[in-house]
């Protein structure tokens, strides 16, 4: 029997409705709309596409988003000064630094400078520490999107085997901690993991964030598992592919997110959700 499709677009609509209400409440409480500052270094075309999508989603939710664009050759003190100005700006509740930064700008500058109360994409040292220690924390929005899909689809976590494929700072590692803190038994795998299928076949919940199209096939999935495909690879023809071979996986899994139309639908909404939380801090 084919798996249930975890439809990111349908879930996103429900989340958007909830956030609309929260944004109205925040505006009434603050006397202004919640504010998100999006900071970008340079004019990379892919970043521009991402920013315009985020601006549209912000408008739909009722959050006032502004873009701050720094020159390609901004130096580390210039980047720090920009973030510090946004930290001090009372109309800014959340700050999103678009990553990756150019090689001459260490990401650590952002991780150390951004005010943890405005760190709505969970990249500061404080956010990472809070997550590790299971204190309330902002988390990377992609990982929040995965949990939102699992929760809204009533997929049970306590005591179940969760396997995360990918161990990056922005997706794999924080996601593994979030699943652990929801009482799943968690395995993290990565590019050096031998016999990946041995691990993935044990997963009741399989979350894949490797950036390798087709990495996970149906034969690597435990029958009935919930499969969350975080991967996004843009093919030369512009089509988007996930990390899971959907055609074979859908025959084995119990539930599965498509790509496109899955996790990616929720990521920006989670950033805005955390921005609305930031208005209360
Ligand atoms: P990354 O390159 O920083 O990390 C990839 C991780 O996957 C690494 O830990 C690596 O060891 C592991 N990996 C690579 N090849 C592997 C293999 N063959 N077997 C097992 N593990 C392997 O990437 P990232 O930033 O974590 O992003 C991962 C994917 O998620 C990308 O496709 C990215 O585009 C996507 N992504 C999606 C969203 C979204 O909103 N849906 C947001 C962020 C990232």
């Amino acid at each position: 029997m084919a798996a249930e499709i975890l439809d990111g677009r349908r879930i996103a609509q429900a989340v958007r409705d909830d956030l609309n209400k929260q944004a109205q409440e925040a505006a009434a409480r603050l006397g202004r709309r919640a504010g998100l500052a999006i900071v970008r270094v340079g004019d990379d075309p892919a970043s521009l596409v991402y920013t315009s999508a985020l601006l549209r989603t912000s408008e739909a939710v009722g959050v006032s988003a502004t873009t701050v664009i720094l020159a390609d050759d901004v130096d580390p003190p210039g980047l720090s000064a920009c973030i510090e100005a946004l930290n001090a700006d009372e109309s800014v509740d959340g700050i999103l630094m678009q990553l990756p930064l150019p090689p001459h700008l260490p990401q650590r500058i952002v991780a150390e400078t951004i005010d943890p109360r405005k760190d709505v994409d969970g990249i500061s040292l404080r956010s990472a520490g809070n997550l590790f220690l299971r204190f309330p924390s902002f988390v990377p929005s992609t990982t929040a999107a995965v949990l939102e899909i699992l929760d809204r689809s009533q997929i049970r976590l306590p005591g179940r085997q969760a396997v995360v494929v990918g161990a990056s700072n922005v997706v794999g590692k924080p996601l593994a901690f979030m699943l652990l803190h929801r009482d799943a038994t968690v395995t993290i795998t990565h590019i050096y993991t031998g016999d990946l299928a041995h691990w993935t076949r044990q997963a009741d919940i399989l979350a894949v964030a490797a950036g390798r199209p087709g990495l996970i096939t149906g034969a690597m999935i435990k029958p009935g598992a919930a499969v969350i495909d975080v991967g996004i690879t843009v093919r030369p023809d512009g089509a988007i592919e996930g990390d899971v071979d959907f055609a074979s996986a859908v025959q084995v899994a119990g539930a599965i997110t498509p790509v496109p139309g899955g996790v990616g639908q929720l990521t920006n909404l989670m950033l805005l959700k955390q921005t609305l939380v930031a208005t209360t801090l």
Side-chain angles (χ1 to χ4, degrees):
M1 207 172 72
E4 176 195 352
I5 308 298
L6 304 174
D7 180 353
R9 292 196 173 90
R10 185 181 50 74
I11 297 171
Q13 186 56 55
V15 171
R16 207 176 292 115
D17 292 346
D18 290 351
L19 295 185
N20 261 147
K21 292 191 198 93
Q22 290 171 30
Q24 282 168 23
E25 283 160 18
R29 175 166 36 82
L30 299 168
R32 60 167 175 81
R33 282 176 156 202
L36 172 69
I38 306 162
V39 185
R40 189 172 74 226
V41 178
D43 269 333
D44 166 53
S47 291
L48 284 171
V49 172
Y50 173 78
T51 308
S52 52
L54 180 53
L55 290 173
R56 277 197 305 278
T57 310
S58 304
E59 187 55 39
V61 164
V63 168
S64 168
T66 49
T67 314
V68 180
I69 302 166
L70 300 172
D72 280 320
D73 60 353
V74 64
D75 59 7
L79 178 60
S80 296
C82 169
I83 296 169
E84 274 159 11
L86 294 169
N87 285 345
D89 184 338
E90 289 185 0
S91 69
V92 172
D93 300 290
I95 302 170
L96 171 71
M97 182 77 231
Q98 279 200 243
L99 301 175
L101 293 168
H104 71 281
L105 295 172
Q107 195 179 317
R108 194 173 175 105
I109 297 174
V110 185
E112 288 179 343
T113 312
I114 193 165
D115 182 337
R117 290 166 303 176
K118 298 190 177 190
D119 175 28
V120 292
D121 207 25
I123 63 168
S124 69
L125 300 186
R126 179 76 69 90
S127 297
N130 282 340
L131 175 59
F132 182 82
L133 295 171
R134 203 175 181 167
F135 295 155
S137 173
F138 290 127
V139 296
S141 45
T142 310
T143 61
V146 174
L147 267 291
E148 191 79 23
I149 289 175
L150 292 171
D151 286 344
R152 289 199 183 240
S153 309
Q154 276 98 41
I155 291 167
R156 206 167 43 82
L157 293 172
R160 301 187 78 203
Q161 297 280 341
V163 175
V164 179
V165 180
S168 71
N169 287 339
V170 284
V171 192
K173 264 192 282 179
L175 179 57
F177 277 100
M178 291 168 77
L179 293 166
L180 174 66
H181 295 162
R182 299 286 295 274
D183 302 322
T185 301
V186 181
T187 302
I188 310 179
T189 65
H190 47 77
I191 196 160
Y192 296 110
T193 300
D195 194 1
L196 184 62
H198 165 78
W199 302 102
T200 58
R201 274 195 216 106
Q202 297 178 32
D204 299 308
I205 293 106
L206 177 61
V208 191
R212 299 285 187 274
L215 177 66
I216 304 296
T217 61
M220 299 167 75
I221 294 171
K222 178 177 176 176
V227 178
I228 310 293
D229 189 353
V230 182
I232 292 182
T233 300
V234 183
R235 283 204 313 238
D237 66 0
I240 290 172
E241 279 185 284
D243 288 348
V244 177
D245 173 43
F246 189 85
S248 60
V250 74
Q251 301 302 326
V252 184
I256 186 167
T257 59
V259 178
V263 177
Q265 298 294 315
L266 273 300
T267 301
N268 284 343
L269 288 169
M270 293 300 104
L271 187 74
L272 297 169
K273 182 177 181 178
Q274 298 197 99
T275 302
L276 291 167
V277 171
T279 66
T280 65
L281 302 180

